[in-house]
Amino acid sequence: MISFREFKEAIESAIEVLRKEDAFLRLDRRRALVVGDLHGDHSSLEAALGRLDDYDAIVFLGDYVDRGPEQLEVFVDLLRAKAGDPERVVTLRGNHETTQMNHHYGFYEVVARRFGHGAFGLVASLYAELPIAAVLNGSYLLVHGGIPMGPTSLEELMPIRKQGEDLEDDDVIQMLWNDPDESIEWFGPSWRGPGIYRYGRSATQRFLSNSGLRCLVRAHEPVEEGVMEHFGGLAYTVFSCRHYGISPAALEIEGEAKRRVGLL
Ligand SMILES: [Mn+2]
């Protein structure tokens, strides 16, 4: 059982290291493991962190809480891991790392029930320090949702800034919410709502090549095997939460080689 003191300390120590990180990270790590949505799946978090010694970095793509059975445990243990090894544990922001989403999908209630309504402010202050995206080894774009409509390169997208307790910038909202779609070339509307889009192969190809990048690695959608390739390898989806009836996995990246790592 996590005490309020432990909860508060985990958040404060993570904030201290996250403050030193930019909104857009440039990572050089020979061997990396990328983890997708966790949504309160503590077993997947443990399975990933248990492999930390095998990697130069584990990059978490966001959506740590809401919906699953062990949200608080995932949240606290991930923050402890971040504070304990800030270089090797990278924690990006997902579309569920907002006050607004947590009110709708459960984490607000989890925190309020355990520690009282006043405690959620700590969570919100942590969200405001989470970086938005990363480029790994100058080749891979790592972000929760994908590319936005409008900017056609990283350069056009810059500068990206950290957000508040909710997402504020249209481009950042799209980067954390958009989905790939094999059936379109450029952009199309999304079932997720206004201001959110699906991106196609040509849009992805253009953005990557204009940015000097090779591949997009994102999360955000449950896929049967936990890892799914799109657009002939231009993009990958990684999903790591077992509570969606899928086989949770992570994606290992070493140079150009990519390998599915099961987390069951
Ligand atoms: Mn998501």
Side-chain angles (χ1 to χ4, degrees), residues 13-49:
S13 54
I15 285 178
E16 206 177 304
V17 299
L18 285 166
R19 265 204 193 117
K20 297 173 194 143
E21 295 186 355
D22 293 330
F24 196 94
L25 302 171
R26 293 192 182 269
L27 307 172
D28 287 301
R29 306 285 193 279
R30 200 179 62 79
R31 196 155 181 254
L33 187 69
V34 182
V35 177
D37 296 39
L38 287 170
H39 286 302
D41 181 348
H42 195 259
S43 303
S44 282
L45 176 66
E46 278 188 317
L49 289 176

Side-chain angles (χ1 to χ4, degrees), residues 37 39 63 95-96 144 176 192 220:
D37 296 39
H39 286 302
D63 281 13
N95 67 308
H96 278 268
H144 185 74
L176 270 49
R192 294 184 190 271
H220 198 38

Side-chain angles (χ1 to χ4, degrees), residues 108-122:
Y108 181 87
E109 191 63 30
V110 168
V111 172
R113 255 193 221 159
R114 182 81 71 89
F115 303 127
H117 288 276
F120 197 82
L122 285 165

Side-chain angles (χ1 to χ4, degrees), residues 197-217:
Y197 300 91
R198 295 171 297 128
Y199 48 91
R201 181 190 290 253
S202 297
T204 306
Q205 173 86 70
R206 179 179 65 182
F207 191 94
L208 292 172
S209 87
N210 286 355
S211 309
L213 299 171
R214 234 179 247 154
C215 183
L216 164 68
V217 181

